[in-house]
Amino acid sequence: DEELLTAVRDLSGGQRRKLDLASILLSGGDLLLLDEPTNHLDADAKQWVMGFLRETPATVLVVSHDIRLMDGSIDRVLALDNAQIESYRGTYSSFLSQRAAADAQRAHAAANLAKEAARLEGTKKIFAKANATHAAKRKALQRRIDTLNERLHDHAPRIRQRPLAIRFPDPVRTGDIALRAVGLCKSFDDHPVLTDIDLTIRRGDLLLVVGVNGAGKTTLLRCLSGRETPDAGHVKLGANARIGYYAQEHEDLALDDTVLDNARAAAPSMGDGALRAALGHFGLIGDVAYQRARSLSGGEKTKLALARLMLSGANVLLLDEPTNNLDPVSVEALLAALQNYEGTVVLVSHDADFVAQLAPERVVLLPEGRVGFFDQTVQEAIPLR
């Protein structure tokens, strides 16, 4: 019915994901295939999903980078590495321990095989005479060496993910006030999302925006970035302020352009060599530079969007769920980059661990628009996960 369709259209992105996910989980299927089911969800929704996955009698195959979900709701890990799948019983943390032990055992076995192959090579040199007996012995020893080398190949160490080396350049200094919003109001189809929001963001601030799905977090960032025009009120940039906006839906990427073209658009004066080096810091290496952005995985699109942000020279970063789709190693790299960043950051995130380690100074609570200090009391009162 038209009224129901209108109501669905009025939902925020996070609310629509809740609706889609709930309809799938409650469908009664015997096999659930879930790709990042907790992305973009607020605390209550994540908690419900994790509880459902723990209790459901259905078989669940889930792709996720949510460590709390992987430690709290799963009992088996299928690790896709080097185009092969290895199976581990237990949670994600248990998998890490098991894989580390397996890697150590593989390295020990490889060392023993290499030692034995070297010993046989030495023995083979003893039989150096040009007669049939020595030739037969050399041939037999070589067969044993070849077998050891084949086994050694099977025990080769895993190809490890290249660590990311993310670092935002030192930002140009803004005025004392980097950004100010006065009386912001925004409605969609007569549904108020932001109402009379006043916000002063000072140079060097790390401000966290908190609220349930539909509270207006993304809308606020879009208004601050100039991508959304408020119905009332205005946004004023401080002296030398340059906005960099990370959109959770990657809407700023030109999907039909190559990865390199997307990077070039963020820094037109930079040469291709420097651009490819910057992309390499985000793990976008080799021929990936010439792929269409559309062909990238969700995590690779996130890395490309972050690379563009780094290249843009922005000194006021508006980040809307920047850890979504990133693997744990990449999240740690982004965390380190932001911890060392001296510019101004406004952050929307439901990743409690990520937020806690960033230690934001202030928090704006939506939909009220109330600004306060972020401390343990606030974190406990408004759990992010």
Side-chain angles (χ1 to χ4, degrees):
D1 111 342
E2 185 61 31
E3 186 175 340
L4 180 59
L5 289 175
T6 300
V8 171
R9 282 197 298 267
D10 287 345
L11 296 177
S12 70
Q15 289 171 323
R16 284 195 294 273
R17 289 184 188 90
K18 285 183 183 179
L19 180 60
D20 291 342
L21 186 59
S23 66
I24 292 169
L25 295 182
L26 299 175
S27 65
D30 296 321
L31 173 63
L32 301 176
L33 306 177
L34 307 176
D35 190 0
E36 301 285 3
T38 57
N39 269 7
H40 310 289
L41 296 185
D42 56 39
D44 292 341
K46 286 190 177 188
Q47 201 66 36
W48 183 86
V49 169
M50 290 171 63
F52 182 95
L53 296 182
R54 278 195 300 269
E55 302 299 329
T56 180
T59 299
V60 179
L61 183 60
V62 57
V63 174
S64 179
H65 291 118
D66 186 333
I67 292 178
R68 293 196 180 193
L69 180 146
M70 293 189 289
D71 272 345
S73 302
I74 66 170
D75 54 22
R76 187 178 170 205
V77 172
L78 299 177
L80 178 60
D81 244 340
N82 304 330
Q84 294 184 325
I85 290 180
E86 295 179 344
S87 178
Y88 298 83
R89 288 286 177 186
T91 65
Y92 178 74
S93 293
S94 174
F95 148 71
L96 291 179
S97 298
Q98 292 178 63
R99 188 171 65 172
D103 284 350
Q105 186 177 21
R106 184 184 289 113
H108 180 72
N112 286 338
L113 290 170
K115 184 177 179 181
E116 178 64 7
R119 186 186 71 79
L120 292 178
E121 284 284 1
T123 302
K124 191 175 72 169
K125 291 178 181 178
I126 296 173
F127 300 101
K129 293 181 179 179
N131 57 48
T133 301
H134 278 210
K137 289 183 178 181
R138 287 197 304 272
K139 190 173 182 179
L141 286 167
Q142 187 59 53
R143 282 198 298 268
R144 291 172 61 187
I145 292 169
D146 291 342
T147 299
L148 288 172
N149 285 332
E150 289 177 8
R151 292 175 59 194
L152 186 61
H153 176 76
D154 293 337
H155 287 79
R158 290 182 304 105
I159 299 175
R160 297 186 179 275
Q161 178 183 349
R162 177 178 176 175
L164 303 190
I166 303 175
R167 182 184 179 277
F168 290 99
D170 294 335
V172 173
R173 183 184 177 92
T174 68
D176 290 341
I177 304 298
L179 188 64
R180 175 172 283 151
V182 179
L184 289 187
C185 297
K186 185 66 181 179
S187 297
F188 295 99
D189 295 328
D190 297 325
H191 173 66
V193 177
L194 301 177
T195 304
D196 202 25
I197 301 294
D198 292 326
L199 195 58
T200 298
I201 302 169
R202 303 181 184 281
R203 182 182 65 246
D205 270 355
L206 174 53
L207 178 70
L208 177 68
V209 181
V210 172
V212 299
N213 291 138
K217 303 184 297 296
T218 294
T219 301
L220 175 60
L221 261 62
R222 287 180 60 81
C223 287
L224 294 178
S225 70
R227 284 162 173 76
E228 197 77 59
T229 302
D231 299 330
H234 65 273
V235 175
K236 183 177 181 180
L237 295 181
N240 298 321
R242 183 172 179 180
I243 298 291
Y245 176 55
Y246 172 85
Q248 59 174 293
E249 301 292 351
H250 305 132
E251 62 205 51
D252 286 348
L253 296 182
L255 297 180
D256 291 325
D257 290 346
T258 67
V259 170
L260 185 58
D261 287 339
N262 272 274
R264 189 182 295 114
S269 63
M270 191 174 289
D272 284 1
L275 290 173
R276 295 197 64 175
L279 290 170
H281 288 307
F282 288 83
L284 301 172
I285 60 176
D287 290 341
V288 173
Y290 301 107
Q291 283 183 223
R292 303 292 176 188
R294 186 180 302 282
S295 70
L296 300 178
S297 69
E300 288 172 325
K301 287 176 182 173
T302 294
K303 291 173 183 178
L304 175 56
L306 290 171
R308 281 168 46 87
L309 197 65
M310 182 189 77
L311 289 166
S312 71
N315 52 15
V316 181
L317 305 183
L318 309 179
L319 308 178
D320 193 359
E321 300 283 9
T323 61
N324 279 352
N325 300 311
L326 288 182
D327 58 83
V329 173
S330 299
V331 171
E332 288 296 321
L334 177 60
L335 173 65
L338 291 177
Q339 286 173 330
N340 291 290
Y341 182 60
E342 296 184 359
T344 303
V345 178
V346 181
L347 172 70
V348 172
S349 178
H350 289 116
D351 188 331
D353 297 329
F354 184 78
V355 169
Q357 293 185 76
L358 276 179
E361 298 91 357
R362 295 189 301 150
V363 58
V364 55
L365 309 178
L366 293 179
E368 309 96 303
R370 179 166 55 89
V371 179
F373 290 104
F374 185 82
D375 56 22
Q376 189 64 32
T377 303
V378 173
Q379 190 167 7
E380 291 172 357
I382 310 173
L384 299 172
R385 212 183 256 284

